[in-house]
Each structure stands twice: as structure tokens, then as C-alpha cells.
Amino acid sequence: MINTSPPSQEACKVIAEIKAREFDGTIEAKQLSLNFTGFDAIVRAVGINKASLQKYCQIVIGLAKGRTGQFQCSDLTVGARYFYGEGWNELSEKDRLRCTNQGRRLNERLSKIAPDLITRTVPPGKPAFIQAHLINLILRVGKLTELGYSANEAAGLLEIPISLIAPKRKGRSKHAKHKTIKTLAEQINAEDPDLLSNHTGGVFIHESLKCNSLDLYRMMGITAYKLRLLDDQLNIPAMDLDPDFEKAIVASNDKKQSLILTHTAPHVLQLDDCDAEVVGRIMPHCFEVVQTSPGSFHCRLALPIGTRQASADSVKRRLLKSLSMTGSCNGGGGKTFRLPGSTNFKPEKGNRIIRILAQEKFTSIAELSLANLIPYEHRSAPANGGPAIQIPIYSRVKTYRDHTSSARDFNFCRQAASWGVPRKRIIAELLAASTSAAEKGRQYVERTVDKAIRDSRRWSSSPKQSG
């Protein structure tokens, strides 16, 4: 068992300085008020998971304009922006009452979760005042994430009260679990009567399997994917397939080639070639485990949606370091899945991919740390002392009316350029995030990036051409 190490003395000093830092009126606070995007993972890390409360936080931070002290702001202003955005002008008396009540309700709901993040005071005979302590919290957590910590780790190091952590969802009843097991056993017996009788032990079905693979992956945040056949002899893609899972499995069996799903979700991890010892230890934290060949498994985990690729890579690296002391596993496979129900046509394999676990389960840094699965890892600040450059999340980039992959590629590059990401870094990020860009080649990628950089000059920031 691996124990996580406490922060070093130097790290504790840096954490104490960040914890005491005041951001009132700073450039960082003003930029946060102008652009809240990218900080939703931090807001979730402190327990604000409801979309309505996240929107309320965004509205208040925008109205604060970088101020962490009190400023005059009525419930009507907050409620009107909640319902109508920035475009509201004249409201009827009925709408004014509705907006006022909504502004007050939002603050009351947030106060039940985190009473000190946004405070609202109404002195007798005077207008309402709001104070956004949340700005300091977000920017302090952001400073720690620049040093290599996840949002959850940073929230813990800053000693955020435990009351802010999101409450666990109430478990299902014993009767519901028993009914699920019975239903699944009947489904398995109908599909493969010999499977249950030949099973020699261990956990065969765990939790709920109410959906097919596509539904499960969508629930876990995999919104963009491709299905293709793999030439197992040469280990290269053979052809793309229709996105329908059932049709793809039929095509795979007809051509005797493995079916592979490729996705771009940064928060989804896969551990490859896991043995039974590793599976037994990591399974409670997975959303899916499949057996790809006798004694070999793929274990798939989902961190909270919005987790950046760098944080996910850090978690995977630490998981492998920890689990290698339990059994065998590796980080191969990356963003590719072998689908349950398909066949592994590797030489001398030819066995069906069997799902042994499926559950709608997100894990977290805190959960994995408490289970002693990820050793503590601290990274120093960049040598130049400058802030880390933010990268847009590819799957969240808007495509507006044109929903093609080319439109998403271009908008991703344009947004990255407007945030000051260097050209070379944008090219590398697009090749890693977009499967279509990787297929079309570097010439397409460079042309898209250069066009996006030119277009981004109309945005708020100036892109860096060097690098």
C-alpha cells in the first residue's frame, strides 16, 4: 500500500502565500469577470454542481468587475441577467417581480451549500449589496493548479471547509440492486447460456447495466468518437465505419478485423493489459471494465467532466506507478477502446470482448487519493515564473450552425490563439485532440491554424506567433 507524501516545506510556504493572497482589483480578477469559461472545474471542486448555481456565480463575478469587496447590486439585476442575459432592457412589473425573486432565491440556495462564497446584505432603507469572495477562492485554486495540482487537490490544500464538498448521492435500495442483478443474469443467460455456468469466481457483474455501450459513454462525457476497423497484423487502422455500434460489430465480424472506438475526451482514462489483481483494486472506481483476452482486462475511469488533459495524464501516471506494485498493467491504448460485444482478432486471440463491469460512475482525485491509489506528486512553478497558458477544451468548443469537424477544428484554433497560445502549441494540441485533423495531415492542420490566428486578431487577446 502506498501512502501519499505531505507537501514539502517549500511547497507549504508557497501554499500559505497563495492562501493569504488578495486579488481585489487585480488584472487576474478583472480577466475572470470578463471570461468565466475554464473555471467550471474549480467551481465543481468546491461542491457547486448545479447548473443554476454555476450560472449565478458567473453572473455575480461578471457584475463584480474584479472587485472582491462589497458593491451595490440588486436582486432584480441578478435575476434579469439569469433569465434574459445582457440583452434585457425594459421589463413589465410581473417580470421585475419574477427576476427579483429569482435573484434572492439563487443566493439562498448557494448559501445552503457555501454560505461564505457570495454574501448578500440589505441594510435597512438601503439597496442590496453583494460581495464575491468566490473570486479570491477561484484565483487561489487557479494559482495552485498552475503548480501541477488538480482543482480537488488545491481545494484540499487551501483547507476549504468540508461543507462545500458536494454531498454523495443516496444509494439504491437492496431491493433495487437485487432486481438489477436478476435482470442482468437473465440477459446474460439469453445471450450466452454457458457463460454463467463456466464462470470460476470473482465479480462478474457489478452495479447497474441498464444501457448499451453508446449510452454509457455519452453519460460519461464521451460526446465525439469514431469507429474503425484495425488491421491486427499491421496494427494500423483499416477503414472507418458507420457510427452505429451494432452495424460496426457486424462489419468487424464479417471482415475478421478488430473494432476500435477512438474518442477525444480528456477526462477519460484507460489502463491496458490489467491482470486480475489490478482489476480487483481499481474496479470500484471504474465506469467500465472489459476482458479483452484470457487474464487481460481494460479498466476505464472517468474524472469529472472538464478535467484538463494535463491533470488526467498526471492521474494516469500516478495510477500506473501505484498499481505496478499490485500486479501488471500499462498505459497503452490511450484514447482507443475495444468495444464490448466485438471480437479481439489479434493473432492467436479471436475471443469476444466481455464487459464485466458497467456503472455510471465518475471518480475524482480525492477519491483515488483516499484509496491510496495515486501517490502525491508536486510540480514546481515554471522556471520563468509566468502563468501557465490555458488551452480550450476541444469537446466544448462551439460550432454554431456548422457542426462539421472542420468547423470545430477552426474554432478551437481561433479560441486558443485568442488566449495567447503559441502557433506550435496549437498545432500539437489540435493533432492530439481532433481525430479528423490527425487523418487529414499536418498540411491541413497548419493551414487551419494560420487562418485561425489571422482571424483571432479581432478577438480580445493577441496570439503569439513564435514558438
Side-chain angles (χ1 to χ4, degrees):
M1 183 176 290
I2 294 179
N3 294 318
T4 56
S5 304
S8 64
Q9 186 175 359
E10 180 183 355
C12 288
K13 182 179 179 181
V14 173
I15 292 168
E17 291 175 354
I18 293 175
K19 186 177 179 180
R21 187 167 176 183
E22 171 62 51
F23 289 90
D24 184 34
T26 61
I27 294 176
E28 295 98 328
K30 292 177 181 178
Q31 288 178 341
L32 175 60
S33 291
L34 292 173
N35 183 12
F36 188 78
T37 306
F39 294 92
D40 47 353
I42 296 177
V43 173
R44 284 195 298 270
V46 299
I48 305 174
N49 296 312
K50 289 188 176 181
S52 60
L53 296 183
Q54 292 175 359
K55 185 175 180 179
Y56 172 59
C57 292
Q58 181 175 358
I59 291 170
V60 172
I61 290 176
L63 292 170
K65 298 180 180 179
R67 296 169 292 182
T68 61
Q70 277 194 345
F71 61 95
Q72 185 175 327
C73 180
S74 67
D75 295 330
L76 171 61
T77 301
V78 173
R81 277 170 170 75
Y82 182 88
F83 288 122
Y84 305 109
E86 298 290 338
W88 70 283
N89 189 3
E90 295 183 1
L91 299 176
S92 65
E93 189 61 33
K94 182 178 179 181
D95 284 339
R96 290 173 65 88
L97 179 61
R98 174 172 175 253
C99 292
T100 300
N101 290 337
Q102 179 67 3
R104 184 175 61 255
R105 277 196 300 265
L106 289 170
N107 187 271
E108 291 172 351
R109 291 171 186 171
L110 181 62
S111 296
K112 292 179 180 179
I113 302 174
D116 298 326
L117 292 188
I118 296 175
T119 57
R120 169 183 170 272
T121 57
V122 187
K126 293 185 178 181
F129 286 85
I130 282 182
Q131 187 170 2
H133 308 282
L134 180 60
I135 293 178
N136 275 329
L137 176 61
I138 289 178
L139 293 176
R140 288 168 186 165
V141 172
K143 290 296 180 183
L144 285 179
T145 60
E146 291 173 9
L147 299 181
Y149 297 99
S150 70
N152 296 78
E153 289 173 326
L157 291 170
L158 291 173
E159 298 178 353
I160 296 173
I162 195 66
S163 61
L164 297 186
I165 305 302
K168 292 184 178 179
R169 186 167 55 181
K170 186 178 180 181
R172 293 155 56 233
S173 67
K174 294 180 180 179
H175 174 75
K177 292 178 180 178
H178 178 268
K179 184 177 179 180
T180 298
I181 294 172
K182 182 180 178 181
T183 302
L184 292 177
E186 292 173 352
Q187 292 175 354
I188 294 170
N189 190 54
E191 295 175 8
D192 190 345
D194 298 327
L195 190 58
L196 287 176
S197 59
N198 294 336
H199 185 56
T200 57
V203 180
F204 187 75
I205 293 292
H206 180 71
E207 285 296 334
S208 173
L209 184 55
K210 295 182 178 179
C211 58
N212 58 36
S213 296
L214 178 57
D215 291 335
L216 176 64
Y217 297 160
R218 283 175 175 168
M219 286 189 292
M220 305 318 296
I222 299 177
T223 56
Y225 69 91
K226 280 193 173 183
L227 297 178
R228 61 184 61 184
L229 295 181
L230 179 70
D231 187 331
D232 291 292
Q233 298 290 340
L234 302 176
N235 196 31
I236 58 174
M239 64 177 293
D240 291 345
L241 297 174
D242 186 283
D244 183 90
F245 279 26
E246 293 184 3
K247 293 180 181 179
I249 290 176
V250 172
S252 171
N253 292 332
D254 290 343
K255 294 184 177 293
K256 305 299 181 185
Q257 292 178 326
S258 295
L259 175 60
I260 302 296
L261 176 144
T262 304
H263 69 89
T264 57
H267 67 287
V268 175
L269 312 179
Q270 176 172 270
L271 306 181
D272 205 354
D273 297 331
C274 301
D275 61 15
E277 287 75 14
V278 169
V279 172
R281 191 173 177 197
I282 194 66
M283 178 180 281
H285 312 282
C286 298
F287 70 86
E288 184 174 58
V289 177
V290 298
Q291 182 175 353
T292 58
S293 60
S296 182
F297 303 84
H298 286 182
C299 298
R300 296 158 186 169
L301 302 88
L303 297 171
I305 296 175
T307 301
R308 301 185 189 280
Q309 189 64 61
S311 298
D313 291 342
S314 173
V315 171
K316 186 174 183 178
R317 182 171 58 251
R318 289 185 277 171
L319 276 174
L320 292 173
K321 181 178 179 181
S322 172
L323 293 171
S324 63
M325 302 182 68
T326 299
S328 63
C329 62
N330 62 63
K335 301 292 185 184
T336 60
F337 289 177
R338 289 185 179 271
L339 282 184
S342 66
T343 301
N344 181 358
F345 285 106
K346 277 186 176 180
E348 301 179 359
K349 294 283 178 73
N351 57 280
R352 193 179 181 193
I353 309 299
I354 301 173
R355 173 192 275 169
I356 66 169
L357 165 70
Q359 57 180 340
E360 188 182 347
K361 162 72 175 177
F362 286 91
T363 188
S364 66
I365 303 290
E367 179 181 320
L368 295 173
S369 296
L370 289 173
N372 292 312
L373 284 168
I374 50 176
Y376 180 84
E377 181 179 69
H378 170 71
R379 296 183 189 177
S380 300
N384 59 8
I389 297 178
Q390 301 291 331
I391 302 295
I393 300 173
Y394 182 84
S395 61
R396 292 192 172 189
V397 172
K398 294 182 178 180
T399 56
Y400 304 100
R401 294 182 180 179
D402 185 353
H403 298 292
T404 64
S405 57
S406 298
R408 190 178 296 277
D409 292 344
F410 176 77
N411 288 343
F412 170 82
C413 296
R414 183 172 61 175
Q415 187 173 351
S418 72
W419 290 4
V421 181
R423 178 180 182 274
K424 186 176 180 180
R425 178 79 181 277
I426 299 176
I427 292 174
E429 293 289 342
L430 182 61
L431 286 169
S434 170
T435 56
S436 62
E439 291 173 357
K440 293 178 181 179
R442 192 174 185 85
Q443 185 176 1
Y444 160 80
V445 172
E446 291 183 352
R447 185 170 65 250
T448 302
V449 171
D450 290 339
K451 183 179 178 182
I453 289 176
R454 290 194 300 270
D455 191 74
S456 70
R457 290 170 183 160
R458 300 186 291 106
W459 289 31
S460 58
S461 302
S462 176
K464 299 177 182 179
Q465 298 289 343
S466 61

